[in-house]
Amino acid sequence: MHGWSDDQHWTLAQVAQLIRTLFRVSYTPRGVSHLLHRLGWSPPGPCACFLAVRY
């Protein structure tokens, strides 16, 4: 999707590049973080596989 693999974990830099490509507006990664937060988006928590550590 949009030239990246199907991995669903996007970096802020990738989101900034996509915004620049689609809307011709430049954001820094920190600006993207603030924008997404204002829109109600939050980063996902750790997946269950990392929480199920066995000793």
Side-chain angles (χ1 to χ4, degrees):
M1 176 182 343
H2 299 290
W4 292 295
S5 68
D6 290 332
D7 181 14
Q8 300 209 0
H9 296 94
W10 285 40
T11 66
L12 294 173
Q14 288 173 314
V15 176
Q17 183 178 350
L18 181 63
I19 292 170
R20 190 177 317 113
T21 301
L22 294 177
F23 303 106
R24 296 183 179 168
V25 177
S26 294
Y27 283 95
T28 64
R30 184 173 178 146
V32 169
S33 177
H34 288 289
L35 176 66
L36 292 176
H37 181 73
R38 286 176 46 196
L39 293 172
W41 287 72
S42 63
C47 73
C49 59
F50 290 119
L51 298 176
V53 177
R54 296 181 187 194
Y55 295 96

